[in-house]
Amino acid sequence: MREAVRQHQVVPYYQPVVSLNTETAVGVEALARWTLPTSRIIGPDHFIPAAESGGFIGDLFFQILRQMCADVVKWDPSIRVAVNVSPNQFRDPFLANKILSVLDGTGLSAERLEIEVTEGNPLADWTRTARTINSLKAEGVRFALDDFGTGYANLGQLNGLPFDNVKIDRSFVTTLMERRESRTIVKSIISLCRDLEKTSIAEGVETGAQAEWLHDNGCDLAQGHHFSYPLPADAVDELFRVGDESVYGLA
Ligand code: C2E
Ligand code: MG
Ligand code: MG
Ligand code: MG
């Protein structure tokens, strides 16, 4: 796995993030894929844990970030890009500087970058994490709290750290039409976001009915198979070619 990272076999795929108001893409989320020489593609759930326990999650992240910046600068400047950071990476006191130097080197403006953070446990080093987040925010980078409503992502984090966006966990969206509890929870997350002036993003939208319900209930943005699967860079090149805005509508 470590060798695969070194050999650039781990690449970003991109899933469009869509405005529920306009049904056009406003950004993408970069999702790591391990592309084997045999053309087999392996998803991150199968290698992120190994990268974390093996101590090379930082190397993997910077491979993804560099490739991502190189891809994104080719796309329309209105398109933002989100990348997932493992909570362990906040232990690195130079994380912010390293990210900013990749932006510098590739020419991606900080305003187009968004960093998604999951889980609260390793975010326990609150002071260092807050310092890292604040110094990146000062440059214009935005932050999202990922998988909100499950695991460690909790109200305390929303209170203590300056997140711009909240991503509503897929588990609530998947059961939206079947379960009244899911609808109640999602409604309250959306209203929490509105009151705290954060953008709400629904993950894992797979049907038109889910998209419509989310729009009717005031959710801002969404991503999911209903709009688009995660796509390789060359497919996104087609989608977001500079000056070709007619193709941004995905639904
Ligand atoms: P995540 O950040 O919450 O990403 C969303 C996951 O939901 C992605 O899974 C995406 O492919 C999947 N998804 C999107 N729309 C739908 C849908 O409509 N239905 C269903 N069933 N799934 C959908 P993926 O790509 O397998 O990634 C899994 C997780 O791995 C991510 O969850 C993220 O936490 C982590 N991950 C991915 N790339 C990276 C990375 O570069 N670094 C780190 N540290 N973690 C990463
Ligand atoms: Mg994410
Ligand atoms: Mg998520
Ligand atoms: Mg997830």
Side-chain angles (χ1 to χ4, degrees), residues 15-17 29 116 167 201-205 221-225 227:
Q15 184 174 43
V17 178
E29 176 179 5
E116 300 192 358
K167 303 196 75 169
I201 307 176
E203 302 189 301
V205 176
L221 308 179
Q223 61 190 101
H225 299 167
F227 300 105

Side-chain angles (χ1 to χ4, degrees), residues 11-227:
V11 302
Y13 269 43
Y14 300 97
Q15 184 174 43
V17 178
V18 173
S19 157
L20 284 164
N21 257 331
T22 62
E23 297 215 323
T24 57
V26 296
V28 294
E29 176 179 5
L31 295 158
R33 296 289 182 265
W34 181 6
T35 54
L36 292 170
T38 59
S39 307
R40 231 187 101 203
I41 295 171
I42 298 175
D45 290 337
H46 299 282
F47 58 82
I48 295 290
E52 281 174 343
S53 61
F56 56 98
I57 188 71
D59 294 341
L60 189 152
F61 170 81
F62 282 102
Q63 281 282 339
I64 296 286
L65 185 68
R66 272 190 224 99
Q67 295 178 67
M68 183 187 97
C69 289
D71 289 331
V72 176
V73 291
K74 292 185 283 183
W75 304 338
D76 192 278
S78 68
I79 298 296
R80 293 174 180 230
V81 64
V83 66
N84 295 279
V85 169
S86 164
N88 295 322
Q89 294 181 253
F90 286 94
R91 299 211 177 99
D92 177 359
F94 303 110
L95 181 64
N97 284 340
K98 288 178 186 167
I99 291 173
L100 293 173
S101 88
V102 173
L103 295 181
D104 256 7
T106 55
L108 185 74
S109 90
E111 287 80 20
R112 292 179 70 186
L113 180 66
E114 187 168 295
I115 290 177
E116 300 192 358
V117 190
T118 338
E119 297 185 20
N121 204 19
L123 288 184
D125 186 354
W126 204 259
T127 319
R128 180 177 291 171
T129 301
R131 199 185 298 132
T132 301
I133 292 182
N134 283 323
S135 59
L136 287 164
K137 278 186 67 92
E139 301 296 322
V141 176
R142 293 163 64 86
F143 280 82
L145 186 52
D146 209 346
D147 302 342
F148 188 75
T150 61
Y152 293 107
N154 62 33
L155 295 171
Q157 282 185 304
L158 213 46
N159 190 27
L161 295 168
F163 289 103
D164 304 284
N165 299 353
V166 171
K167 303 196 75 169
I168 304 168
D169 192 72
R170 188 173 84 212
S171 58
F172 303 115
V173 177
T174 305
T175 53
L176 208 47
M177 300 339 276
E178 297 81 47
R179 300 197 50 185
R180 194 172 64 86
E181 291 89 338
S182 300
R183 292 194 291 277
T184 305
I185 292 166
V186 172
K187 271 188 201 171
S188 74
I189 298 175
I190 293 168
S191 113
L192 190 66
C193 287
R194 194 177 303 122
D195 291 350
L196 295 175
E197 296 179 333
K198 304 195 189 288
T199 302
S200 50
I201 307 176
E203 302 189 301
V205 176
E206 292 185 350
T207 68
Q210 291 165 350
E212 193 180 323
W213 187 95
L214 288 160
H215 176 250
D216 291 347
N217 284 276
C219 186
D220 300 310
L221 308 179
Q223 61 190 101
H225 299 167
H226 172 62
F227 300 105

